[in-house]
Amino acid sequence: MPAPASPRRVAQVIRLRPEAEADYRRLHAAVWPEVLDQIRRSNLRNYSIFLRDGLLIAYFEYVGSNYAGDLAAMARDPRTREWWQLTDPMQEAVDTAAEGEWWAPFEEVFHTP
């Protein structure tokens, strides 16, 4: 029997607008259950967001087999879209983000299992 594939580890960064920090923290202290359900349905596990010096760092592990499709399903989910309508104005892309990129991905340069 083949060994199960390792999850895909993803880390991303975006800037948090300073005036939005209190609201962002308040929203994330009580994430809507429908949004959490969609995260699970999209095969994301161990989802965390960290904040330091105005930067939000997201980390999650993807355990599905169709990353683009699962993220597209999340983007189509009405409740998740509502959530993003609240949170997106609180954020701004980092200067090094590619054209059209919101959360900019990090390149993994080291990992120890």
Side-chain angles (χ1 to χ4, degrees), residues 18-110:
E19 69 277 8
E21 183 176 337
D23 287 335
Y24 193 86
R25 287 179 179 272
R26 179 184 51 76
L27 281 171
H28 285 82
V31 177
W32 301 341
E34 303 92 341
V35 171
L36 295 174
D37 289 343
Q38 182 59 56
I39 289 170
R40 287 184 203 95
R41 283 193 309 274
S42 291
N43 293 304
L44 307 183
R45 303 294 184 270
N46 295 320
Y47 199 117
S48 301
I49 299 175
F50 301 89
L51 172 63
R52 183 177 180 113
D53 298 332
L55 292 176
L56 294 169
I57 309 299
Y59 171 84
F60 59 86
E61 295 165 356
Y62 176 72
V63 297
S65 60
N66 182 358
Y67 184 68
D70 283 337
L71 292 186
M74 180 179 288
R76 287 188 306 269
D77 177 65
R79 196 67 166 145
T80 300
R81 291 174 65 86
E82 270 185 74
W83 179 263
W84 290 346
Q85 286 176 351
L86 295 174
T87 59
D88 283 3
M90 298 177 181
Q91 305 163 344
E92 60 185 348
V94 294
D95 295 341
T96 56
E99 177 86 21
E101 199 169 54
W102 194 238
W103 282 83
F106 280 104
E107 176 187 358
E108 184 175 308
V109 295
F110 176 78

